[in-house]
Structure formats: C-alpha cells, structure tokens
C-alpha cells in the first residue's frame, strides 16, 4: 500500500454483531485489528469519518468518537487538512505471533488446560483520608456501609456448607466468573474464570510473581519515575533494578540493552504512576516485542483504569498480548475502598500454575465471605453504578481543584496527567522553592508529595503529585485555595 493512500482498509467489514457490543466498539475493533494485523501500516491514510459512516451504516458522530479513541491510544494521528494517518509501528514478531495463533500453531508458552484442582506504611499517606493532597487513595464516602453490608448479608445467607469448609485454591469461582465477565466487557481481555487467581491486592500479586520468576541477581525493568512500593518488592527479592525513563509516550526501553538478563518488566500503561501518561500503541507493541526477545514477563498494573474522565477506559495491554507475556494485575481496593483487600492475577498458563502452587503453599489470606459479598455486588447493577457515581464525583473534585487554582494562581504552575485517576501532576514555575512549599504546606495541614521521591535516574523539573479523590468538595475547594496562596 502506498504511503498516504487507503485501499483495502475501506473494505474492512464490521465485526459480527455480538450481544452487548455497541456499533462504536465494533467500529473501533475493525480499525484497531486492521492495524495490529498489518493490514494497515504506519503512514497509511484512513478514509474520512463521512466515508466510513456511509460504508458501515452508522452515525458519523460514532465514527468520530472511534477516531478520537484511536488517536488517544496512539494508533493514529489526526491533522486538520491532512486527514488521519496510522501512526503505530507494528514489530514483525508481533505479526508473526498473531499469524501463528490464527493458523493453529502451538505456542511455546501454552500448557495443558487449566483445571480447577489444587496443586499440592506505603507510609503514612495511605491512612490519612481527607488530608489534602494524598495520592492513590480512594474516597471511603462513596459506598455506604449499609449498601455493602446488604450484599454481604445476601451472599452469606445463600452460602452452602461446603463453601464454609472446602477451599478453592484460586479463589471463589463465583467471584472469578464475575471478574472474567467484567474484564471481557470493559477491559477488552478475553479470559475465563479458571485463568484468574484471587489475591489481597496488586502489591500482593506482584510479590507472588516476583517470587515465582526472580532469582537473586536477576534484572527487572521498572519505570522511572515509578511506584516506589513495587520497586521495594523487587529489591526484597534480590533483583537489580534497571530504570527505563518515561516520556510522553510511556516507557522508553531504548536504554535497556538486549544483553541485560532481564526477567521481568513492570509497567502502568493506562495511567502511568505517577506521571499519568498513556502508553502509546507503538510503545505497547515495542514492549511486547522486547519481552518476546528477552523471554521475559511483563507485569501490567491496572490500578485505576476505571477512572478515565475523557473517554471510556482504555483497553488493557493484556488485550493485545498475542505472545502471552503479560501478567495482568487488578484490584478492587481503589474501585471500592482501600481496606477491602481483594485483587486478582491473570497470568499466562505456564506462569499461572507456578503462582497457584506458591499461593497454595503459603496460604490464602482472602476470606470467603468477602469474596462472595463482592461477587454478589458485581452480579447486579450495583458495581457498575458505583463506578459511574465514583467517576463523576472524582471528576468533580478534580475540576474543583483545577478551577480554583486557575482562578487564584494563574501562570504559577502547569498541570499534566489530569485526564484520569486519583491524582495529577502540578509542575512549579522556575522561581518557586519546592522545599519551602513543602514546609509551608505542612504547616497548613496540606501534604505535598514531591515528584522527585518517585524518580531514580531521571531528572525532571520540580513538581508535586497532587491527589484529590479522598476529599470532600469543601476540602478540595479550601485546600486548593490554600495551595494557590502558597504558589503566589
């Protein structure tokens, strides 16, 4: 296909209509899959939204939304007067993995079918609800204790005697089935209940993976800046940390030599922690290609993907993992409340068995009542209703902080990473004293967390990680005013 022209792509059919799948999602899949499968290549021009809407018989506004989503994820670029061009570069190894899957060739990592039989103070910040501006902390005010108790009560009343005694090593089936349905519908991940393992949170999941994969002296690639608590888990496992810088497309692996004996990479692609960058499609595919060459695993920490304020949550890296290198880790500790202590792992089959064997050996700390209660909560409309309510409230809190700062301290800062999640980045103007701001903020009862605390080798300008989710609206407004005065 010649550069800048579009031929075969215009003949792309919409995927077969499936129950619960919207026309927008089908249109998105048609274009994204054409790019991932190599039918559309970098610099190829897409037809206009008008042409596609006529071709597919769907509203032009729907196709516009699809193009905006593809641009946000880094698959295409759009310029006025130039149209829409494919921007994602697909490694040959990724295309080969897709082809092998389609032709039925066995994957070297595929193992026997998974069976349901047993295999014989992140510091002080996390506990301080209502203290501005603590990051990574959900609001405990958005789910009423009575509502949660009602679901627990219904689940316990329906509990069978064998559920009170017999242990399901991977976690309660009913919960895993609900999670699998959620991941298929909302995160684009094709999975089944038997592929999931229940844990008590993402850090617990990462620790299990580290124990199964790493030996003392192994290299682990981590983001810089990154999540220090996870870095400490790898250090406890005896690993050497290789720091890959984050830029505006996500993790940059060009400084990590292929000669390094890297066994594992840890990433937060949907909303990089802490910068908030969305990993581009090209970088995602480069990461998968790197893992295949290195025979390494990728841990995808999907810690707050439910809370995207610009569009629907972005698809997970796991959703395009044709090479079976990604270990997907999720949690309900931020979607619901932090002390719920319920998370899950979705690992490729080879690694799944090793993690399950370890988990069975060291014991399971997640109680069956909490698992059944959460399954009951997810079975009906309550869970999705809670996510919608929470997303709206967090967006309102974010807007209060941003609007107040804009009105009372214009030109004294710059904001990034505000499109999703529980925090944003506030970059200081060159004349401001970061340390003095921290001291003055603490005197006022504000908790400013310097971005430098998350940096290792990368050198970034002074900035703060500003959390807003665990505040009331009045607290958000008042604390933003106090911060604005300090910025002046």
């Amino acid at each position: 296909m010649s550069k800048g022209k579009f031929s075969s792509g215009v003949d792309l059919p919409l995927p077969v209509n499936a129950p619960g799948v919207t026309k927008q999602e089908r249109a998105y899949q048609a274009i994204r899959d054409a790019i991932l499968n190599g039918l559309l290549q970098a610099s190829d021009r897409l037809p206009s939204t008008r042409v596609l809407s006529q071709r597919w018989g769907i509203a032009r506004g729907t196709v516009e939304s699809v193009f905006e989503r593809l641009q946000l994820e880094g698959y295409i670029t759009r310029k006025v007067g130039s149209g829409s061009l494919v921007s994602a570069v697909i490694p040959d190894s990724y295309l080969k993995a897709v082809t092998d899957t389609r032709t039925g060739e066995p994957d070297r990592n595929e193992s026997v079918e998974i069976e349901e039989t047993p295999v014989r103070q992140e510091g002080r910040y996390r506990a301080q609800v209502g203290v501005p501006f603590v990051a990574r902390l959900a609001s405990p005010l958005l789910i009423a204790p009575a509502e949660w108790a009602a679901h627990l009560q219904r689940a316990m009343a329906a509990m069978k005697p064998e559920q009170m005694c017999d242990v399901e090593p991977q976690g309660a089936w009913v919960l895993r089935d609900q999670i699998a349905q959620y991941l298929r519908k909302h995160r684009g991940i094709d999975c089944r209940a038997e592929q999931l393992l229940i844990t008590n949170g993402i850090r617990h999941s990462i620790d299990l993976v580290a124990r199964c994969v790493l030996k003392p002296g192994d290299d682990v690639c981590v983001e810089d800046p990154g999540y220090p608590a996870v870095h400490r888990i790898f250090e406890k496992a005896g690993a050497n940390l290789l720091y890959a810088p984050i830029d505006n497309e996500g993790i940059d692996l060009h400084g990590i030599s292929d000669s390094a004996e890297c066994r594992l990479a840890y990433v937060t692609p949907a909303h990089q922690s802490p910068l908030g960058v969305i990993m581009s499609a090209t970088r995602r595919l480069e990461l998968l290609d790197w893992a295949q060459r290195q025979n390494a695993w990728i841990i995808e920490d999907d810690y707050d993907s439910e809370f995207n304020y610009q569009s629907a949550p972005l698809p997970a890296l796991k959703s395009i993992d044709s090479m079976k290198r990604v270990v997907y880790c999720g949690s309900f500790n931020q979607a619901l409340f932090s002390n719920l202590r319920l998370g899950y792992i979705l690992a490729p089959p080879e690694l799944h068995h090793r993690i399950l064997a370890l988990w069975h050996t060291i014991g399971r700390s997640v109680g069956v009542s909490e698992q059944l209660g959460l399954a009951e909560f997810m079975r009906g409309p309550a869970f999705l209703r809670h996510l919608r309510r929470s997303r709206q409230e967090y967006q309102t809190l974010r807007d209060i902080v941003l609007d107040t700062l804009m009105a009372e301290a214009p030109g004294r800062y710059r904001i990034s990473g505000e499109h999703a999640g529980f925090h944003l980045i506030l970059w200081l103007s060159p004349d401001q004293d970061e340390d003095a701001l921290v001291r003055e903020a603490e005197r006022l009862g504000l908790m400013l967390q310097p971005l430098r605390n998350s940096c290792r080798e990368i050198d970034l300008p002074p900035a703060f990680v500003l959390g807003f989710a665990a505040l009331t609206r009045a607290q958000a407004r008042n604390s933003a005013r106090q911060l604005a005065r300090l910025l002046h």
Side-chain angles (χ1 to χ4, degrees), residues 295-327:
N295 192 27
W297 303 102
I298 302 167
I299 295 178
E300 178 179 12
D301 182 345
D302 206 27
Y303 68 103
D304 66 357
S305 61
E306 296 88 355
F307 303 105
N308 192 301
Y309 310 124
Q310 291 183 346
S311 62
L314 301 179
L317 175 66
K318 182 67 176 175
S319 68
I320 58 171
D321 179 27
S322 64
M323 304 174 186
K324 294 183 173 59
R325 306 310 304 172
V326 177
V327 183

Side-chain angles (χ1 to χ4, degrees), residues 187-239:
R187 303 300 293 124
I189 301 174
D190 185 15
C191 65
R192 306 183 304 278
E194 57 266 27
Q195 296 171 298
L196 290 160
L197 173 64
I198 302 299
T199 68
N200 64 19
I202 288 178
R203 280 190 284 176
H204 178 215
S205 300
I206 293 169
D207 182 52
L208 289 172
V209 175
R211 293 187 188 210
C212 289
V213 170
L214 299 177
K215 302 186 300 294
D218 282 346
D219 293 330
V220 175
C221 177
V222 296
E223 300 169 322
D224 189 14
Y227 185 26
V230 168
H231 296 181
R232 289 194 291 271
I233 291 174
F234 297 136
E235 289 169 345
K236 291 289 186 182

